[in-house]
Amino acid sequence: MMKTPVLVSERLRFHPWEADDFPLLAELHRDPEVQHFLQMGDPPWDEAFLRAKFDGFRKDYAENGWTKFKILDPQGRFLGRAGFGRFDETGELELGYSVMRPFWGRGYASEAAGTLLDWIYRMVPVDHVIGFAVAENMASRRVLEKAGMAFTGLRDLHGIPNAFYRHDRPA
């Protein structure tokens, strides 16, 4: 039996990661096309790195009530992950998402981003959220823009130009 999602949108169900969900995250991030803009030439994420990410997602949810959630469709099919983490450099909440390649181009990332931004301000007393994408990843930048995030400039992250965005708490 599937557990109740933390958040629901028209086509998405946002769930915290369960202990036995690691293979889903590994499948998502072992796809070289999914990883292309996340790694930018770095070596592939190995099992230990992915396990640390997975454990971090579970810890974030346990401690804060937010995470980069597992996203499913209404039939329970795994679509990817989307949610929030802390941006190490500043401590700001950062919106992020990765979708399984068969589901690209269907608006799932945009639906997730908009739903999550609406939700986070009800859950956490933050005045803004940031997001960023590799500068040349126009699809991911469009997701941030469609969600109402404002471009704030380009910054290098690990030697790669990234476009940074900000979304302020609605008045």
Side-chain angles (χ1 to χ4, degrees), residues 133-160:
V134 170
E136 68 185 62
N137 187 348
M138 296 312 294
S140 193
R141 292 180 67 176
R142 276 192 300 277
V143 167
L144 296 171
E145 291 163 3
K146 278 193 225 173
M149 296 189 99
F151 177 68
T152 58
L154 292 174
R155 287 182 44 202
D156 267 16
L157 281 182
H158 313 291
I160 296 147

PDB file of all heavy atoms in Angstrom, residues 133-160:
ATOM      1  N   ALA A 133      20.731  26.894 -12.469  1.00  0.00           N
ATOM      2  CA  ALA A 133      20.903  25.884 -13.515  1.00  0.00           C
ATOM      3  C   ALA A 133      22.159  26.238 -14.285  1.00  0.00           C
ATOM      4  O   ALA A 133      22.517  27.424 -14.396  1.00  0.00           O
ATOM      5  CB  ALA A 133      19.692  25.880 -14.449  1.00  0.00           C
ATOM      6  N   VAL A 134      22.805  25.233 -14.823  1.00  0.00           N
ATOM      7  CA  VAL A 134      23.934  25.489 -15.709  1.00  0.00           C
ATOM      8  C   VAL A 134      23.445  26.462 -16.776  1.00  0.00           C
ATOM      9  O   VAL A 134      22.355  26.293 -17.335  1.00  0.00           O
ATOM     10  CB  VAL A 134      24.447  24.162 -16.317  1.00  0.00           C
ATOM     11  CG1 VAL A 134      25.462  24.421 -17.416  1.00  0.00           C
ATOM     12  CG2 VAL A 134      25.039  23.284 -15.229  1.00  0.00           C
ATOM     13  N   ALA A 135      24.226  27.494 -17.031  1.00  0.00           N
ATOM     14  CA  ALA A 135      23.790  28.595 -17.903  1.00  0.00           C
ATOM     15  C   ALA A 135      23.288  28.114 -19.254  1.00  0.00           C
ATOM     16  O   ALA A 135      22.318  28.662 -19.786  1.00  0.00           O
ATOM     17  CB  ALA A 135      24.919  29.608 -18.068  1.00  0.00           C
ATOM     18  N   GLU A 136      23.897  27.084 -19.822  1.00  0.00           N
ATOM     19  CA  GLU A 136      23.488  26.617 -21.153  1.00  0.00           C
ATOM     20  C   GLU A 136      22.279  25.679 -21.113  1.00  0.00           C
ATOM     21  O   GLU A 136      21.766  25.295 -22.161  1.00  0.00           O
ATOM     22  CB  GLU A 136      24.661  25.954 -21.864  1.00  0.00           C
ATOM     23  CG  GLU A 136      25.110  24.654 -21.239  1.00  0.00           C
ATOM     24  CD  GLU A 136      26.356  24.076 -21.887  1.00  0.00           C
ATOM     25  OE1 GLU A 136      27.413  24.719 -21.844  1.00  0.00           O
ATOM     26  OE2 GLU A 136      26.255  22.954 -22.426  1.00  0.00           O
ATOM     27  N   ASN A 137      21.797  25.312 -19.934  1.00  0.00           N
ATOM     28  CA  ASN A 137      20.647  24.411 -19.817  1.00  0.00           C
ATOM     29  C   ASN A 137      19.362  25.236 -19.875  1.00  0.00           C
ATOM     30  O   ASN A 137      18.734  25.539 -18.864  1.00  0.00           O
ATOM     31  CB  ASN A 137      20.735  23.604 -18.513  1.00  0.00           C
ATOM     32  CG  ASN A 137      19.659  22.545 -18.417  1.00  0.00           C
ATOM     33  OD1 ASN A 137      18.706  22.531 -19.189  1.00  0.00           O
ATOM     34  ND2 ASN A 137      19.804  21.668 -17.447  1.00  0.00           N
ATOM     35  N   MET A 138      18.976  25.578 -21.090  1.00  0.00           N
ATOM     36  CA  MET A 138      17.833  26.473 -21.275  1.00  0.00           C
ATOM     37  C   MET A 138      16.521  25.856 -20.801  1.00  0.00           C
ATOM     38  O   MET A 138      15.649  26.561 -20.308  1.00  0.00           O
ATOM     39  CB  MET A 138      17.725  26.911 -22.749  1.00  0.00           C
ATOM     40  CG  MET A 138      18.924  27.743 -23.217  1.00  0.00           C
ATOM     41  SD  MET A 138      19.402  29.105 -22.098  1.00  0.00           S
ATOM     42  CE  MET A 138      17.978  30.167 -22.217  1.00  0.00           C
ATOM     43  N   ALA A 139      16.378  24.544 -20.911  1.00  0.00           N
ATOM     44  CA  ALA A 139      15.137  23.904 -20.452  1.00  0.00           C
ATOM     45  C   ALA A 139      14.970  24.090 -18.948  1.00  0.00           C
ATOM     46  O   ALA A 139      13.882  24.440 -18.466  1.00  0.00           O
ATOM     47  CB  ALA A 139      15.130  22.423 -20.826  1.00  0.00           C
ATOM     48  N   SER A 140      16.037  23.873 -18.185  1.00  0.00           N
ATOM     49  CA  SER A 140      15.948  24.025 -16.730  1.00  0.00           C
ATOM     50  C   SER A 140      15.748  25.490 -16.352  1.00  0.00           C
ATOM     51  O   SER A 140      15.006  25.801 -15.413  1.00  0.00           O
ATOM     52  CB  SER A 140      17.201  23.459 -16.070  1.00  0.00           C
ATOM     53  OG  SER A 140      17.003  23.336 -14.683  1.00  0.00           O
ATOM     54  N   ARG A 141      16.388  26.393 -17.067  1.00  0.00           N
ATOM     55  CA  ARG A 141      16.196  27.821 -16.793  1.00  0.00           C
ATOM     56  C   ARG A 141      14.743  28.228 -17.057  1.00  0.00           C
ATOM     57  O   ARG A 141      14.173  29.007 -16.290  1.00  0.00           O
ATOM     58  CB  ARG A 141      17.156  28.652 -17.636  1.00  0.00           C
ATOM     59  CG  ARG A 141      18.613  28.464 -17.201  1.00  0.00           C
ATOM     60  CD  ARG A 141      19.563  29.261 -18.017  1.00  0.00           C
ATOM     61  NE  ARG A 141      19.366  30.695 -17.795  1.00  0.00           N
ATOM     62  CZ  ARG A 141      20.136  31.628 -18.333  1.00  0.00           C
ATOM     63  NH1 ARG A 141      21.153  31.296 -19.119  1.00  0.00           N
ATOM     64  NH2 ARG A 141      19.899  32.906 -18.089  1.00  0.00           N
ATOM     65  N   ARG A 142      14.129  27.677 -18.106  1.00  0.00           N
ATOM     66  CA  ARG A 142      12.713  27.985 -18.394  1.00  0.00           C
ATOM     67  C   ARG A 142      11.810  27.497 -17.255  1.00  0.00           C
ATOM     68  O   ARG A 142      10.824  28.152 -16.920  1.00  0.00           O
ATOM     69  CB  ARG A 142      12.279  27.360 -19.722  1.00  0.00           C
ATOM     70  CG  ARG A 142      12.642  28.231 -20.921  1.00  0.00           C
ATOM     71  CD  ARG A 142      11.950  27.765 -22.196  1.00  0.00           C
ATOM     72  NE  ARG A 142      12.294  26.393 -22.556  1.00  0.00           N
ATOM     73  CZ  ARG A 142      13.388  26.035 -23.222  1.00  0.00           C
ATOM     74  NH1 ARG A 142      14.261  26.931 -23.606  1.00  0.00           N
ATOM     75  NH2 ARG A 142      13.601  24.763 -23.508  1.00  0.00           N
ATOM     76  N   VAL A 143      12.140  26.348 -16.670  1.00  0.00           N
ATOM     77  CA  VAL A 143      11.356  25.838 -15.536  1.00  0.00           C
ATOM     78  C   VAL A 143      11.377  26.870 -14.406  1.00  0.00           C
ATOM     79  O   VAL A 143      10.340  27.209 -13.835  1.00  0.00           O
ATOM     80  CB  VAL A 143      11.902  24.469 -15.054  1.00  0.00           C
ATOM     81  CG1 VAL A 143      11.309  24.091 -13.705  1.00  0.00           C
ATOM     82  CG2 VAL A 143      11.626  23.391 -16.096  1.00  0.00           C
ATOM     83  N   LEU A 144      12.568  27.379 -14.068  1.00  0.00           N
ATOM     84  CA  LEU A 144      12.690  28.368 -12.987  1.00  0.00           C
ATOM     85  C   LEU A 144      11.931  29.645 -13.325  1.00  0.00           C
ATOM     86  O   LEU A 144      11.247  30.220 -12.472  1.00  0.00           O
ATOM     87  CB  LEU A 144      14.171  28.660 -12.717  1.00  0.00           C
ATOM     88  CG  LEU A 144      14.984  27.464 -12.200  1.00  0.00           C
ATOM     89  CD1 LEU A 144      16.471  27.809 -12.169  1.00  0.00           C
ATOM     90  CD2 LEU A 144      14.504  27.009 -10.843  1.00  0.00           C
ATOM     91  N   GLU A 145      12.026  30.077 -14.553  1.00  0.00           N
ATOM     92  CA  GLU A 145      11.327  31.303 -14.970  1.00  0.00           C
ATOM     93  C   GLU A 145       9.812  31.121 -14.959  1.00  0.00           C
ATOM     94  O   GLU A 145       9.083  31.998 -14.497  1.00  0.00           O
ATOM     95  CB  GLU A 145      11.839  31.739 -16.352  1.00  0.00           C
ATOM     96  CG  GLU A 145      13.275  32.235 -16.283  1.00  0.00           C
ATOM     97  CD  GLU A 145      13.989  32.304 -17.623  1.00  0.00           C
ATOM     98  OE1 GLU A 145      13.361  32.018 -18.679  1.00  0.00           O
ATOM     99  OE2 GLU A 145      15.196  32.637 -17.622  1.00  0.00           O
ATOM    100  N   LYS A 146       9.330  29.977 -15.447  1.00  0.00           N
ATOM    101  CA  LYS A 146       7.881  29.704 -15.432  1.00  0.00           C
ATOM    102  C   LYS A 146       7.333  29.680 -14.012  1.00  0.00           C
ATOM    103  O   LYS A 146       6.171  30.000 -13.789  1.00  0.00           O
ATOM    104  CB  LYS A 146       7.571  28.360 -16.091  1.00  0.00           C
ATOM    105  CG  LYS A 146       7.497  28.392 -17.584  1.00  0.00           C
ATOM    106  CD  LYS A 146       6.876  27.089 -18.062  1.00  0.00           C
ATOM    107  CE  LYS A 146       7.639  26.531 -19.217  1.00  0.00           C
ATOM    108  NZ  LYS A 146       7.206  25.210 -19.624  1.00  0.00           N
ATOM    109  N   ALA A 147       8.177  29.273 -13.056  1.00  0.00           N
ATOM    110  CA  ALA A 147       7.758  29.217 -11.657  1.00  0.00           C
ATOM    111  C   ALA A 147       7.775  30.594 -11.004  1.00  0.00           C
ATOM    112  O   ALA A 147       7.440  30.721  -9.826  1.00  0.00           O
ATOM    113  CB  ALA A 147       8.666  28.268 -10.880  1.00  0.00           C
ATOM    114  N   GLY A 148       8.139  31.618 -11.767  1.00  0.00           N
ATOM    115  CA  GLY A 148       8.117  32.982 -11.231  1.00  0.00           C
ATOM    116  C   GLY A 148       9.421  33.418 -10.594  1.00  0.00           C
ATOM    117  O   GLY A 148       9.463  34.432  -9.903  1.00  0.00           O
ATOM    118  N   MET A 149      10.496  32.689 -10.843  1.00  0.00           N
ATOM    119  CA  MET A 149      11.786  33.077 -10.276  1.00  0.00           C
ATOM    120  C   MET A 149      12.433  34.141 -11.167  1.00  0.00           C
ATOM    121  O   MET A 149      12.313  34.089 -12.386  1.00  0.00           O
ATOM    122  CB  MET A 149      12.694  31.862 -10.127  1.00  0.00           C
ATOM    123  CG  MET A 149      12.134  30.844  -9.149  1.00  0.00           C
ATOM    124  SD  MET A 149      13.301  29.523  -8.766  1.00  0.00           S
ATOM    125  CE  MET A 149      13.932  30.115  -7.204  1.00  0.00           C
ATOM    126  N   ALA A 150      13.095  35.090 -10.527  1.00  0.00           N
ATOM    127  CA  ALA A 150      13.749  36.192 -11.249  1.00  0.00           C
ATOM    128  C   ALA A 150      15.239  35.907 -11.382  1.00  0.00           C
ATOM    129  O   ALA A 150      15.902  35.543 -10.410  1.00  0.00           O
ATOM    130  CB  ALA A 150      13.540  37.504 -10.499  1.00  0.00           C
ATOM    131  N   PHE A 151      15.757  36.091 -12.593  1.00  0.00           N
ATOM    132  CA  PHE A 151      17.179  35.913 -12.859  1.00  0.00           C
ATOM    133  C   PHE A 151      17.972  36.952 -12.072  1.00  0.00           C
ATOM    134  O   PHE A 151      17.660  38.142 -12.110  1.00  0.00           O
ATOM    135  CB  PHE A 151      17.431  36.064 -14.365  1.00  0.00           C
ATOM    136  CG  PHE A 151      18.875  35.981 -14.766  1.00  0.00           C
ATOM    137  CD1 PHE A 151      19.578  34.791 -14.666  1.00  0.00           C
ATOM    138  CD2 PHE A 151      19.528  37.100 -15.255  1.00  0.00           C
ATOM    139  CE1 PHE A 151      20.906  34.716 -15.046  1.00  0.00           C
ATOM    140  CE2 PHE A 151      20.856  37.040 -15.642  1.00  0.00           C
ATOM    141  CZ  PHE A 151      21.547  35.845 -15.539  1.00  0.00           C
ATOM    142  N   THR A 152      18.997  36.492 -11.356  1.00  0.00           N
ATOM    143  CA  THR A 152      19.801  37.420 -10.550  1.00  0.00           C
ATOM    144  C   THR A 152      21.246  37.512 -11.028  1.00  0.00           C
ATOM    145  O   THR A 152      21.992  38.345 -10.515  1.00  0.00           O
ATOM    146  CB  THR A 152      19.793  37.012  -9.058  1.00  0.00           C
ATOM    147  OG1 THR A 152      20.305  35.678  -8.929  1.00  0.00           O
ATOM    148  CG2 THR A 152      18.385  37.098  -8.481  1.00  0.00           C
ATOM    149  N   GLY A 153      21.639  36.680 -11.983  1.00  0.00           N
ATOM    150  CA  GLY A 153      22.982  36.794 -12.527  1.00  0.00           C
ATOM    151  C   GLY A 153      23.648  35.453 -12.739  1.00  0.00           C
ATOM    152  O   GLY A 153      23.139  34.406 -12.334  1.00  0.00           O
ATOM    153  N   LEU A 154      24.805  35.523 -13.377  1.00  0.00           N
ATOM    154  CA  LEU A 154      25.613  34.337 -13.628  1.00  0.00           C
ATOM    155  C   LEU A 154      26.709  34.242 -12.582  1.00  0.00           C
ATOM    156  O   LEU A 154      27.293  35.263 -12.203  1.00  0.00           O
ATOM    157  CB  LEU A 154      26.251  34.398 -15.021  1.00  0.00           C
ATOM    158  CG  LEU A 154      25.308  34.305 -16.211  1.00  0.00           C
ATOM    159  CD1 LEU A 154      26.069  34.519 -17.514  1.00  0.00           C
ATOM    160  CD2 LEU A 154      24.589  32.963 -16.242  1.00  0.00           C
ATOM    161  N   ARG A 155      26.969  33.029 -12.112  1.00  0.00           N
ATOM    162  CA  ARG A 155      28.064  32.761 -11.172  1.00  0.00           C
ATOM    163  C   ARG A 155      28.703  31.447 -11.538  1.00  0.00           C
ATOM    164  O   ARG A 155      28.011  30.528 -11.982  1.00  0.00           O
ATOM    165  CB  ARG A 155      27.539  32.643  -9.742  1.00  0.00           C
ATOM    166  CG  ARG A 155      27.124  33.929  -9.117  1.00  0.00           C
ATOM    167  CD  ARG A 155      26.644  33.778  -7.687  1.00  0.00           C
ATOM    168  NE  ARG A 155      27.474  32.912  -6.861  1.00  0.00           N
ATOM    169  CZ  ARG A 155      27.035  32.314  -5.761  1.00  0.00           C
ATOM    170  NH1 ARG A 155      25.798  32.491  -5.359  1.00  0.00           N
ATOM    171  NH2 ARG A 155      27.828  31.549  -5.044  1.00  0.00           N
ATOM    172  N   ASP A 156      29.992  31.358 -11.325  1.00  0.00           N
ATOM    173  CA  ASP A 156      30.677  30.096 -11.528  1.00  0.00           C
ATOM    174  C   ASP A 156      30.481  29.198 -10.317  1.00  0.00           C
ATOM    175  O   ASP A 156      30.657  29.639  -9.183  1.00  0.00           O
ATOM    176  CB  ASP A 156      32.177  30.325 -11.732  1.00  0.00           C
ATOM    177  CG  ASP A 156      32.544  30.445 -13.194  1.00  0.00           C
ATOM    178  OD1 ASP A 156      31.633  30.660 -14.017  1.00  0.00           O
ATOM    179  OD2 ASP A 156      33.740  30.329 -13.509  1.00  0.00           O
ATOM    180  N   LEU A 157      30.105  27.966 -10.572  1.00  0.00           N
ATOM    181  CA  LEU A 157      30.073  26.929  -9.542  1.00  0.00           C
ATOM    182  C   LEU A 157      30.997  25.835 -10.037  1.00  0.00           C
ATOM    183  O   LEU A 157      30.747  25.249 -11.095  1.00  0.00           O
ATOM    184  CB  LEU A 157      28.665  26.365  -9.361  1.00  0.00           C
ATOM    185  CG  LEU A 157      27.671  27.151  -8.546  1.00  0.00           C
ATOM    186  CD1 LEU A 157      26.358  26.391  -8.446  1.00  0.00           C
ATOM    187  CD2 LEU A 157      28.192  27.464  -7.163  1.00  0.00           C
ATOM    188  N   HIS A 158      32.062  25.595  -9.328  1.00  0.00           N
ATOM    189  CA  HIS A 158      33.027  24.558  -9.700  1.00  0.00           C
ATOM    190  C   HIS A 158      33.544  24.769 -11.123  1.00  0.00           C
ATOM    191  O   HIS A 158      33.705  23.815 -11.886  1.00  0.00           O
ATOM    192  CB  HIS A 158      32.424  23.161  -9.537  1.00  0.00           C
ATOM    193  CG  HIS A 158      31.720  22.970  -8.236  1.00  0.00           C
ATOM    194  ND1 HIS A 158      32.387  22.917  -7.028  1.00  0.00           N
ATOM    195  CD2 HIS A 158      30.400  22.869  -7.930  1.00  0.00           C
ATOM    196  CE1 HIS A 158      31.501  22.768  -6.049  1.00  0.00           C
ATOM    197  NE2 HIS A 158      30.306  22.745  -6.569  1.00  0.00           N
ATOM    198  N   GLY A 159      33.731  26.049 -11.492  1.00  0.00           N
ATOM    199  CA  GLY A 159      34.287  26.376 -12.799  1.00  0.00           C
ATOM    200  C   GLY A 159      33.287  26.357 -13.936  1.00  0.00           C
ATOM    201  O   GLY A 159      33.671  26.501 -15.095  1.00  0.00           O
ATOM    202  N   ILE A 160      32.006  26.217 -13.634  1.00  0.00           N
ATOM    203  CA  ILE A 160      30.972  26.147 -14.672  1.00  0.00           C
ATOM    204  C   ILE A 160      29.998  27.306 -14.478  1.00  0.00           C
ATOM    205  O   ILE A 160      29.480  27.507 -13.376  1.00  0.00           O
ATOM    206  CB  ILE A 160      30.223  24.801 -14.590  1.00  0.00           C
ATOM    207  CG1 ILE A 160      31.214  23.673 -14.885  1.00  0.00           C
ATOM    208  CG2 ILE A 160      29.054  24.759 -15.551  1.00  0.00           C
ATOM    209  CD1 ILE A 160      30.931  22.423 -14.152  1.00  0.00           C
TER     210      ILE A 160
END
